[in-house]
Amino acid sequence: MTDSSDLEREWNLFREKIDPICLQVLEASHPEDAYGAACYCPGALLDDLGWLPHGGAVYVAWARLTDLFETGKTDDDVAHRILREATEQWLQRPPSPVAEFIEEWTEQTTEAVTLRFRLDGNFWTKPPNTTTE
């Protein structure tokens, strides 16, 4: 069970460090600009990963969202759409800490990225519709 004071601190950190980056992601009209902004999300968490109740999962979720761009296998417009959807959902957090919201967000984000990787491939796999010669 998560300590309520840590959850409150985490919520405040998200509001202070991640939400402003999310607004930049949503303001970006070009996929590359949204990607560039989103790349700051994982780094904004690094100093606090040791105490954040959901820090590792949130870090991984944001990193995977940027991986969609970095693999070079997912179309930038598709990656941008997925990034925007995750960012919009992130900013819909309740004002008071709700652990289940973050857990659901990380799960949905992971599922969306995993599905896209299955369709397009990732760093280690090729898309399923390609052949090896």
Side-chain angles (χ1 to χ4, degrees):
M1 181 156 174
T2 303
D3 181 293
S4 63
S5 64
D6 279 348
L7 193 57
E8 184 71 37
R9 284 178 59 207
E10 178 180 63
W11 221 249
N12 289 333
L13 182 132
F14 291 158
R15 200 174 2 256
E16 292 169 14
K17 290 188 174 182
I18 303 299
D19 292 359
I21 298 169
C22 289
L23 294 174
Q24 292 175 6
V25 169
L26 294 179
E27 290 170 0
S29 57
H30 296 289
E32 309 85 37
D33 296 333
Y35 158 75
C39 284
Y40 287 102
C41 286
L45 299 169
L46 279 178
D47 291 340
D48 299 291
L49 282 178
W51 67 265
L52 287 169
H54 301 95
V58 171
Y59 177 95
V60 168
W62 284 110
R64 287 177 56 98
L65 286 164
T66 59
D67 284 349
L68 285 171
F69 293 87
E70 293 169 3
T71 64
K73 296 180 180 181
T74 299
D75 179 80
D76 280 353
D77 289 334
V78 173
H80 188 206
R81 180 184 50 79
I82 293 168
L83 174 60
R84 285 185 61 82
E85 288 173 5
T87 302
E88 288 168 353
Q89 289 172 359
W90 173 267
L91 290 172
Q92 292 174 11
R93 281 189 331 279
S96 298
V98 178
E100 293 80 11
F101 179 91
I102 295 298
E103 292 159 6
E104 181 69 20
W105 181 85
T106 56
E107 183 178 316
Q108 287 178 355
T109 300
T110 297
E111 288 175 8
V113 173
T114 299
L115 174 61
R116 203 68 236 176
F117 284 159
R118 283 190 187 128
L119 294 170
D120 300 337
N122 59 31
F123 293 113
W124 302 276
T125 62
K126 293 183 178 190
N129 59 351
T130 60
T131 58
T132 319
E133 295 184 28

